[in-house]
Amino acid sequence: MSVENLTKEDAIKKIKDLVKASDICMFTTSLDKLPLNARPMSSQHTDDEGNIWFFSDKTSDKNIEIQKDNRVQLFYVNNSGYEYLSVYGTAEISRDKEKIEEYWSTMVKAWFPEGKEDPNLTLIKVKPEDAYYWDTKNNKLVSLIKIMASVVTGKTSDDGVEGELKV
C-alpha cells in the first residue's frame, strides 16, 4: 500500500468525496472513557473548509456529551469502493437558521416532524483536526480480480493508497 498524504484543498476534496460516498458514519463521543459511545449518523454536508455537518436533537445523548467534551471521532466505510475514512475533530452545536435552511431535506423531517422550526433541531459541525484514509486505486471489480490473481499466483497485488489528510 502506498502512502499519499494530502493537504489543504486536496485533503478537503478527499474528505468530501469519501463522506459523500459513505454518507453514514459511526459518530463517536466521550473519547476519554470506555466503552466509547458510537452511533450511526447521516452526514448532511461537507463544506469548503472540510467541516462535516449533521442534524441532531438537542436532547440527544450525543449533544449532551458534546457539551461536556467536544472531541469526536467519525468512522466512514464505503464498502462498494473499498474506501475508509477516520476523522478526529471538534464538534460544535449550532442553531444557525441559514445552515438549517441550506442543509434541510425532506428525509430530515422523519426525525424532526415540526420541520425546520422544530425546537429540538440542532446542527452539529465537526471540524476535522486529524484525518486518515485508506483507499483502493481501482474500483471494487478490478480490486477483486487483482485479489483473485494474487491468490492464484501467490504474489501480493496491493494497489491501495492511504494517507493523512491535513485540512
Side-chain angles (χ1 to χ4, degrees), residues 78-146:
N78 174 11
N79 282 328
S80 65
Y82 291 150
E83 299 170 314
Y84 308 90
L85 175 65
S86 171
V87 177
Y88 170 82
T90 53
E92 176 185 316
I93 298 169
S94 169
R95 291 264 321 140
D96 184 316
K97 297 284 187 195
E98 288 179 20
K99 295 289 185 197
I100 289 171
E101 182 69 34
E102 184 179 350
Y103 303 148
W104 183 262
S105 72
T106 54
M107 291 298 292
V108 178
K109 194 166 184 170
W111 287 271
F112 299 99
E114 295 180 44
K116 299 172 202 169
E117 299 304 318
D118 192 307
N120 289 330
L121 176 65
T122 65
L123 283 168
I124 297 174
K125 175 177 87 170
V126 175
K127 180 180 181 180
E129 292 183 12
D130 191 31
Y132 206 86
Y133 75 98
W134 298 263
D135 196 350
T136 58
K137 293 179 182 174
N138 301 297
N139 65 34
K140 187 174 184 176
L141 180 60
V142 172
S143 294
L144 287 172
I145 291 169
K146 286 187 174 194

Side-chain angles (χ1 to χ4, degrees), residues 20-22 33 35 47 81 115 118 120 132 149 155 161:
K20 185 176 182 178
S22 301
K33 64 180 182 180
D47 66 26
D118 192 307
N120 289 330
Y132 206 86
K155 295 180 181 178
V161 61

